[in-house]
Amino acid sequence: MATPGLATLVQSIFKLTVITAALVLCSGFERAAFCQKRSAALIEEGVAALNRNETDAAKNSFNRALQDDPNNELAHTYLGIIADRGGNLIEAERHFRAAAKASPASPSAHNNYGVILVRLGKRDQAASEFQTSLRLNPAQSGALVNLAQIRFASGTVDGLRDALELFESALKIAPDAEIARALVVISLR
């Protein structure tokens, strides 16, 4: 006959085993909810580390978030930013592409991906990403300016005309001295 203390201990071990198994083998919805919460906490931890200029700790947090959720747009975006700041454009492109793929309805994910594509000299792909971003949200001055810069760089009459329209649209959305200067440059051509 078991003593009350031993029975309580066995019952506690059983409960702990059930809880552990539930975290590992629970239904998809419950597991996803658990992972989503932990992933969000890791993102917050990573952002805090970035704000303290602790890049390695931030990368660690974002990579751990991706272990829970390989399609986490924010984790990929922040890892892309870190890679870009470190001069690793190939790694940055990989993460920004993953962010855009993970969140195809996110205008900022497409805009970010387009920016890195421009830096890699992939202007046609970048223009496509900026256009996708603008289809999702036409009121983005940043994507308008980015697409205008590509059109301007073409040097063609049609490209300059398109750039002018895009810069004017951006200026209406967000009045900015830099955009105004770009308009002056176009008008002088």
Side-chain angles (χ1 to χ4, degrees):
M1 186 157 126
T3 63
L6 184 57
T8 303
L9 179 61
V10 169
Q11 194 175 28
S12 295
I13 290 172
F14 178 74
K15 284 180 182 176
L16 183 58
T17 303
V18 169
I19 290 169
T20 303
L23 288 176
V24 175
L25 302 172
C26 63
S27 72
F29 177 75
E30 291 167 333
R31 173 111 175 105
F34 171 77
C35 289
Q36 210 170 28
K37 285 181 185 176
R38 186 168 66 183
S39 183
L42 288 166
I43 296 296
E44 285 182 34
E45 186 179 296
V47 170
L50 268 182
N51 289 334
R52 294 188 306 270
N53 292 318
E54 297 173 0
T55 305
D56 290 338
K59 280 173 64 173
N60 183 40
S61 293
F62 299 135
N63 281 317
R64 286 175 42 215
L66 287 177
Q67 289 174 352
D68 284 344
D69 179 7
N71 295 317
N72 188 303
E73 177 194 353
L74 287 176
H76 279 297
T77 297
Y78 282 115
L79 286 168
I81 291 168
I82 291 169
D84 183 27
R85 286 181 184 170
N88 189 343
L89 297 182
I90 302 301
E91 181 77 6
E93 179 190 12
R94 184 175 70 81
H95 283 294
F96 286 125
R97 180 179 54 243
K101 184 179 178 187
S103 294
S106 170
S108 63
H110 290 283
N111 188 51
N112 291 338
Y113 183 34
V115 168
I116 209 71
L117 288 169
V118 166
R119 297 199 46 220
L120 287 166
K122 300 177 180 181
R123 293 188 184 278
D124 290 341
Q125 281 181 268
S128 176
E129 290 300 319
F130 296 139
Q131 289 167 337
T132 299
S133 181
L134 290 166
R135 269 194 306 275
L136 294 168
N137 179 3
Q140 292 181 89
S141 62
L144 287 164
V145 167
N146 292 334
L147 185 56
Q149 290 173 336
I150 289 174
R151 299 294 188 245
F152 182 80
S154 74
T156 66
V157 172
D158 287 340
L160 292 173
R161 191 175 301 120
D162 289 346
L164 178 63
E165 289 175 18
L166 291 163
F167 278 128
E168 285 174 342
S169 295
L171 190 60
K172 287 177 189 171
I173 294 168
D176 180 89
E178 194 66 32
I179 297 171
R181 277 192 287 279
L183 287 169
V184 169
V185 169
I186 290 174
S187 67
L188 293 175
R189 277 207 163 190

